[in-house]
Amino acid sequence: MPPVVYFAEHVHDVPKVLVGRFDGEVMRRRASSPDGVSGLLVWRGPGLAAYDEEVYEFRRCGENLRLGFLKKFEPEMVRRRSSFSIAGYPVRMANGECYLIPAVLPESPDFGLPTVDRIGEDGQWRREVPDGELRFLSEAARRIFDALDGEGVPEGFDDTTLRRVAVAAIGVCYDLSELEIGVRGLLDNAAYTGVIEALLDAPALLELRSKKKTSEG
């Protein structure tokens, strides 16, 4: 059974809100909910989904849209195959589940993101994190780290940005969208703290600082 499935009410085709969510592997099936609403089940293949409330826990997540997770859902069910070589730390989320969060600060000992070598505008070679959410994560980690060493919270780093950082961090290793993370109830203050500490590779950096102070003393 697919671990995550959507139920779009009163439609015959995949609604716009879900277009692109499953990258060409989208599966669909006509179905009716126990309360008599007809619609379309949408999920990532392979596998066959059914609107079965003994198997899935469905929650409404927007107008005419419900999201269902397997009642026996585990994060490893949506783990990305490409993530098993990524270094990071397990972080316990608000609902008790643990997710691997990568160390993304380039200067950290356990830096865990893929990099590319490219020539910049100055004509010099440099090693960079690829564009997209990975670059965003790396740059966000750098801003947070610099702020911790200086004046506190980075300028413009509000709750929305913090949430985007956490969602992107979870998304490196797990195929979960922002909507799915929100419905799953993964994020609270403790989870945000754990995610940031993992992104910064805090345990390794603290150990290095301790060793440095010892050697200087």
Side-chain angles (χ1 to χ4, degrees):
M1 302 290 286
V4 181
V5 60
Y6 285 88
F7 180 68
E9 302 173 353
H10 314 301
V11 298
H12 300 278
D13 200 0
V14 178
K16 291 183 179 180
V17 68
L18 298 181
V19 172
R21 169 62 186 94
F22 299 116
D23 301 327
E25 300 178 35
V26 62
M27 305 284 285
R28 67 197 75 184
R29 180 186 182 188
R30 296 291 301 167
S32 295
S33 65
D35 56 351
V37 178
S38 63
L40 196 69
L41 287 170
V42 183
W43 71 95
R44 181 191 293 280
L48 185 62
Y51 201 121
D52 187 340
E53 293 189 343
E54 292 185 2
V55 177
Y56 290 96
E57 180 181 358
F58 281 91
R59 298 180 185 176
R60 189 169 295 280
C61 59
E63 185 177 0
N64 298 326
L65 189 64
R66 309 180 196 185
L67 174 59
F69 284 90
L70 281 175
K71 288 190 174 181
K72 296 182 179 180
F73 177 85
E74 296 178 1
E76 288 302 308
M77 293 177 177
V78 291
R79 180 79 180 265
R80 299 186 190 277
R81 293 180 181 178
S82 59
S83 71
F84 285 92
S85 61
I86 291 179
Y89 296 91
V91 174
R92 187 170 298 280
M93 300 296 167
N95 66 350
E97 294 172 351
C98 284
Y99 288 77
L100 180 71
I101 302 300
V104 303
L105 185 68
E107 292 79 3
S108 68
D110 298 316
F111 176 72
L113 294 184
T115 59
V116 295
D117 291 341
R118 60 170 54 139
I119 293 178
E121 295 180 359
D122 58 0
Q124 301 299 313
W125 281 96
R126 59 170 52 89
R127 181 156 293 177
E128 297 180 348
V129 175
D131 294 336
E133 287 298 277
L134 296 183
R135 172 74 67 83
F136 164 74
L137 270 180
S138 180
E139 293 177 349
R142 161 52 56 197
R143 291 177 61 199
I144 294 170
F145 181 74
D146 288 345
L148 292 176
D149 269 0
E151 299 178 356
V153 179
E155 182 179 353
F157 211 91
D158 55 14
D159 289 345
T160 300
T161 305
L162 179 59
R163 186 179 303 113
R164 182 187 171 194
V165 168
V167 167
I170 294 170
V172 172
C173 296
Y174 302 90
D175 183 19
L176 286 175
S177 69
E178 179 175 357
L179 176 62
E180 292 154 10
I181 289 170
V183 172
R184 194 79 193 146
L186 299 186
L187 301 175
D188 63 2
N189 288 340
Y192 283 123
T193 299
V195 167
I196 295 302
E197 289 178 347
L199 292 177
L200 298 183
D201 198 3
L205 291 177
L206 289 173
E207 182 179 355
L208 285 176
R209 286 187 175 184
S210 177
K211 291 181 178 179
K212 182 178 180 181
K213 288 182 179 180
T214 301
S215 62
E216 290 176 348

